Amino acid sequence: MIKKIKIAKALNTYLPSMLLTVLLVFTTNSVLAEETTVDEVETEVNCLGCHQETQETPIHAIWQTPHGKVFGKSNQTCVACHGPSLEHGKVPRDNSPSLSFGPKWPSKFNEQSAVCLDCHEKGNQLMWLSGVHNDEELSCLSCHNIHDRIDDVLVRLEQSETCFTCHKSVQASAHMPSSHPILEGKTTCVDCHNPHGNISEHSLNEPTVNDTCFSCHAEKRGPFLFEHAPVAEECTICHKPHGSVNASLLKARGPFLCQQCHSAAFHPSVQHDGSGLANTGQGSEFLLGKNCLNCHSQIHGSNHPSGSRLTR
């Protein structure tokens, strides 16, 4: 009897606190569960629920690109670039994605590029923010097509067409009689220029114009025993890098180009204009018809003991 009384007193003492503890735990768990459910709903968007793969939605070609293989065929791939886009996912869908890259809901160019730079701000893209294309308010999507299975700007034969969209004067030069083989795909714009920006002039890959030219034309580098001063200074003094109507990308044909500097050399100091070609005398068939390079063939420099006049 005494034991029963003690048990009853213990229950009366501890049971209310035990029930209160259970109630608090149950309530807390319910609140946490509710918060988790709300959080999950607010942070997940079902992009593929609406953007289904059909012929009318070619954006799904992204699954065949390196970008589409990072997270696999999932909503996370879309969110990685476009942001959560929670409002866009609601019904009715009259709100733009958090970040849009298309014409319907245009985003600011720097916001678009910032998404790409989260992963690509390294290597050749390191100087993008100080580059001329960024200064002109272009974004990565101005040249690249992320959703295409093959990005045209990465194809050598197609790359120049992307650049020519803006650089019309260069496009015209590429069709001149003497030009780098850009249209043939043997040379591309990025062989000389870094479109993502560089500290060098004209966004060249190398520090100077000459260093860029010498990366292919190493035989013109020297050093030579007898140097032609313009060669050591800059190739563009005599040459037009994108194209010319004159042979070898020259700015003018000889002797007119040469006489811009050599007005009083070892020949009579007469500026020739090409008139009366057959009757000028003074060896016109060599000087005008075949120009100075007929004799001064080592125009870039010579190592011959008798090559002071760049003839050997």
PDB file of all heavy atoms in Angstrom, residues 8 27 33 35 59-60 99 153-154 157 182 262 271 276 286 293:
ATOM      1  N   ALA A   8       2.145   6.888  -6.947  1.00  0.00           N
ATOM      2  CA  ALA A   8       1.158   7.898  -7.336  1.00  0.00           C
ATOM      3  C   ALA A   8       1.701   9.301  -7.169  1.00  0.00           C
ATOM      4  O   ALA A   8       1.501  10.183  -8.005  1.00  0.00           O
ATOM      5  CB  ALA A   8      -0.113   7.696  -6.508  1.00  0.00           C
ATOM      6  N   THR A  27       5.921  19.883 -30.961  1.00  0.00           N
ATOM      7  CA  THR A  27       5.657  21.174 -31.585  1.00  0.00           C
ATOM      8  C   THR A  27       6.869  21.671 -32.363  1.00  0.00           C
ATOM      9  O   THR A  27       6.756  22.166 -33.491  1.00  0.00           O
ATOM     10  CB  THR A  27       5.276  22.215 -30.511  1.00  0.00           C
ATOM     11  OG1 THR A  27       4.152  21.719 -29.771  1.00  0.00           O
ATOM     12  CG2 THR A  27       4.929  23.554 -31.165  1.00  0.00           C
ATOM     13  N   ALA A  33       9.629  20.911 -39.471  1.00  0.00           N
ATOM     14  CA  ALA A  33       9.186  20.199 -40.678  1.00  0.00           C
ATOM     15  C   ALA A  33       8.470  21.149 -41.621  1.00  0.00           C
ATOM     16  O   ALA A  33       8.658  21.119 -42.840  1.00  0.00           O
ATOM     17  CB  ALA A  33       8.262  19.034 -40.289  1.00  0.00           C
ATOM     18  N   GLU A  35       8.902  24.453 -41.743  1.00  0.00           N
ATOM     19  CA  GLU A  35       9.874  25.376 -42.308  1.00  0.00           C
ATOM     20  C   GLU A  35      10.668  24.710 -43.421  1.00  0.00           C
ATOM     21  O   GLU A  35      10.960  25.309 -44.450  1.00  0.00           O
ATOM     22  CB  GLU A  35      10.817  25.871 -41.208  1.00  0.00           C
ATOM     23  CG  GLU A  35      10.141  26.820 -40.221  1.00  0.00           C
ATOM     24  CD  GLU A  35      11.103  27.269 -39.147  1.00  0.00           C
ATOM     25  OE1 GLU A  35      12.226  26.713 -39.116  1.00  0.00           O
ATOM     26  OE2 GLU A  35      10.757  28.149 -38.368  1.00  0.00           O
ATOM     27  N   ILE A  59      16.762  24.778 -77.296  1.00  0.00           N
ATOM     28  CA  ILE A  59      17.657  25.028 -76.174  1.00  0.00           C
ATOM     29  C   ILE A  59      18.117  23.732 -75.522  1.00  0.00           C
ATOM     30  O   ILE A  59      19.129  23.700 -74.823  1.00  0.00           O
ATOM     31  CB  ILE A  59      16.991  25.934 -75.116  1.00  0.00           C
ATOM     32  CG1 ILE A  59      15.724  25.290 -74.560  1.00  0.00           C
ATOM     33  CG2 ILE A  59      16.705  27.298 -75.680  1.00  0.00           C
ATOM     34  CD1 ILE A  59      15.120  26.048 -73.406  1.00  0.00           C
ATOM     35  N   HIS A  60      17.404  22.645 -75.766  1.00  0.00           N
ATOM     36  CA  HIS A  60      17.771  21.379 -75.138  1.00  0.00           C
ATOM     37  C   HIS A  60      19.034  20.770 -75.745  1.00  0.00           C
ATOM     38  O   HIS A  60      19.524  19.758 -75.267  1.00  0.00           O
ATOM     39  CB  HIS A  60      16.616  20.380 -75.224  1.00  0.00           C
ATOM     40  CG  HIS A  60      15.502  20.698 -74.273  1.00  0.00           C
ATOM     41  ND1 HIS A  60      15.443  20.183 -73.002  1.00  0.00           N
ATOM     42  CD2 HIS A  60      14.428  21.513 -74.392  1.00  0.00           C
ATOM     43  CE1 HIS A  60      14.361  20.638 -72.390  1.00  0.00           C
ATOM     44  NE2 HIS A  60      13.729  21.457 -73.215  1.00  0.00           N
ATOM     45  N   LEU A  99      17.996  35.640 -64.258  1.00  0.00           N
ATOM     46  CA  LEU A  99      18.937  36.201 -65.212  1.00  0.00           C
ATOM     47  C   LEU A  99      18.611  35.638 -66.581  1.00  0.00           C
ATOM     48  O   LEU A  99      18.582  34.421 -66.769  1.00  0.00           O
ATOM     49  CB  LEU A  99      20.381  35.864 -64.843  1.00  0.00           C
ATOM     50  CG  LEU A  99      21.434  36.558 -65.689  1.00  0.00           C
ATOM     51  CD1 LEU A  99      21.510  38.039 -65.322  1.00  0.00           C
ATOM     52  CD2 LEU A  99      22.793  35.934 -65.504  1.00  0.00           C
ATOM     53  N   VAL A 153      31.722  29.954 -83.001  1.00  0.00           N
ATOM     54  CA  VAL A 153      32.919  30.762 -82.791  1.00  0.00           C
ATOM     55  C   VAL A 153      34.130  29.902 -82.422  1.00  0.00           C
ATOM     56  O   VAL A 153      35.275  30.369 -82.480  1.00  0.00           O
ATOM     57  CB  VAL A 153      32.656  31.827 -81.703  1.00  0.00           C
ATOM     58  CG1 VAL A 153      32.724  31.206 -80.307  1.00  0.00           C
ATOM     59  CG2 VAL A 153      33.628  32.991 -81.834  1.00  0.00           C
ATOM     60  N   LEU A 154      33.898  28.658 -82.061  1.00  0.00           N
ATOM     61  CA  LEU A 154      34.995  27.747 -81.736  1.00  0.00           C
ATOM     62  C   LEU A 154      35.426  26.900 -82.926  1.00  0.00           C
ATOM     63  O   LEU A 154      36.355  26.098 -82.813  1.00  0.00           O
ATOM     64  CB  LEU A 154      34.589  26.830 -80.570  1.00  0.00           C
ATOM     65  CG  LEU A 154      34.214  27.541 -79.269  1.00  0.00           C
ATOM     66  CD1 LEU A 154      33.859  26.528 -78.205  1.00  0.00           C
ATOM     67  CD2 LEU A 154      35.351  28.438 -78.786  1.00  0.00           C
ATOM     68  N   LEU A 157      36.730  27.448 -89.299  1.00  0.00           N
ATOM     69  CA  LEU A 157      36.159  27.925 -90.556  1.00  0.00           C
ATOM     70  C   LEU A 157      35.006  28.904 -90.343  1.00  0.00           C
ATOM     71  O   LEU A 157      34.675  29.684 -91.233  1.00  0.00           O
ATOM     72  CB  LEU A 157      35.680  26.734 -91.399  1.00  0.00           C
ATOM     73  CG  LEU A 157      36.760  25.990 -92.182  1.00  0.00           C
ATOM     74  CD1 LEU A 157      36.183  24.737 -92.819  1.00  0.00           C
ATOM     75  CD2 LEU A 157      37.386  26.891 -93.249  1.00  0.00           C
ATOM     76  N   ILE A 182      42.588  33.708 -93.766  1.00  0.00           N
ATOM     77  CA  ILE A 182      41.522  33.643 -92.759  1.00  0.00           C
ATOM     78  C   ILE A 182      40.291  32.959 -93.321  1.00  0.00           C
ATOM     79  O   ILE A 182      39.683  32.097 -92.675  1.00  0.00           O
ATOM     80  CB  ILE A 182      41.183  35.062 -92.260  1.00  0.00           C
ATOM     81  CG1 ILE A 182      42.382  35.681 -91.556  1.00  0.00           C
ATOM     82  CG2 ILE A 182      39.981  35.025 -91.318  1.00  0.00           C
ATOM     83  CD1 ILE A 182      42.173  37.119 -91.139  1.00  0.00           C
ATOM     84  N   HIS A 262      63.475  56.356 -98.392  1.00  0.00           N
ATOM     85  CA  HIS A 262      64.743  56.417 -99.120  1.00  0.00           C
ATOM     86  C   HIS A 262      64.615  57.367-100.305  1.00  0.00           C
ATOM     87  O   HIS A 262      64.575  56.955-101.463  1.00  0.00           O
ATOM     88  CB  HIS A 262      65.142  55.020 -99.610  1.00  0.00           C
ATOM     89  CG  HIS A 262      65.267  54.029 -98.495  1.00  0.00           C
ATOM     90  ND1 HIS A 262      66.364  53.968 -97.673  1.00  0.00           N
ATOM     91  CD2 HIS A 262      64.419  53.042 -98.075  1.00  0.00           C
ATOM     92  CE1 HIS A 262      66.216  52.988 -96.786  1.00  0.00           C
ATOM     93  NE2 HIS A 262      65.029  52.423 -97.009  1.00  0.00           N
ATOM     94  N   GLN A 271      61.562  61.190-107.099  1.00  0.00           N
ATOM     95  CA  GLN A 271      60.369  60.466-106.679  1.00  0.00           C
ATOM     96  C   GLN A 271      59.646  59.951-107.916  1.00  0.00           C
ATOM     97  O   GLN A 271      59.219  60.734-108.762  1.00  0.00           O
ATOM     98  CB  GLN A 271      59.436  61.392-105.884  1.00  0.00           C
ATOM     99  CG  GLN A 271      59.927  61.693-104.480  1.00  0.00           C
ATOM    100  CD  GLN A 271      59.721  60.527-103.530  1.00  0.00           C
ATOM    101  OE1 GLN A 271      59.076  59.548-103.879  1.00  0.00           O
ATOM    102  NE2 GLN A 271      60.277  60.632-102.339  1.00  0.00           N
ATOM    103  N   GLY A 276      55.257  57.017-117.595  1.00  0.00           N
ATOM    104  CA  GLY A 276      56.350  56.847-118.555  1.00  0.00           C
ATOM    105  C   GLY A 276      57.253  55.707-118.174  1.00  0.00           C
ATOM    106  O   GLY A 276      58.479  55.839-118.208  1.00  0.00           O
ATOM    107  N   PHE A 286      64.146  47.717-114.192  1.00  0.00           N
ATOM    108  CA  PHE A 286      64.476  47.069-112.929  1.00  0.00           C
ATOM    109  C   PHE A 286      63.887  47.840-111.739  1.00  0.00           C
ATOM    110  O   PHE A 286      63.356  47.262-110.809  1.00  0.00           O
ATOM    111  CB  PHE A 286      65.998  46.977-112.776  1.00  0.00           C
ATOM    112  CG  PHE A 286      66.644  46.078-113.790  1.00  0.00           C
ATOM    113  CD1 PHE A 286      67.294  46.610-114.877  1.00  0.00           C
ATOM    114  CD2 PHE A 286      66.591  44.695-113.647  1.00  0.00           C
ATOM    115  CE1 PHE A 286      67.889  45.788-115.820  1.00  0.00           C
ATOM    116  CE2 PHE A 286      67.182  43.870-114.583  1.00  0.00           C
ATOM    117  CZ  PHE A 286      67.836  44.410-115.681  1.00  0.00           C
ATOM    118  N   LEU A 293      63.051  45.485-104.725  1.00  0.00           N
ATOM    119  CA  LEU A 293      63.330  44.145-104.215  1.00  0.00           C
ATOM    120  C   LEU A 293      64.029  43.268-105.251  1.00  0.00           C
ATOM    121  O   LEU A 293      64.516  42.195-104.911  1.00  0.00           O
ATOM    122  CB  LEU A 293      62.029  43.473-103.770  1.00  0.00           C
ATOM    123  CG  LEU A 293      61.309  44.123-102.582  1.00  0.00           C
ATOM    124  CD1 LEU A 293      60.052  43.340-102.234  1.00  0.00           C
ATOM    125  CD2 LEU A 293      62.227  44.214-101.381  1.00  0.00           C
TER     126      LEU A 293
END
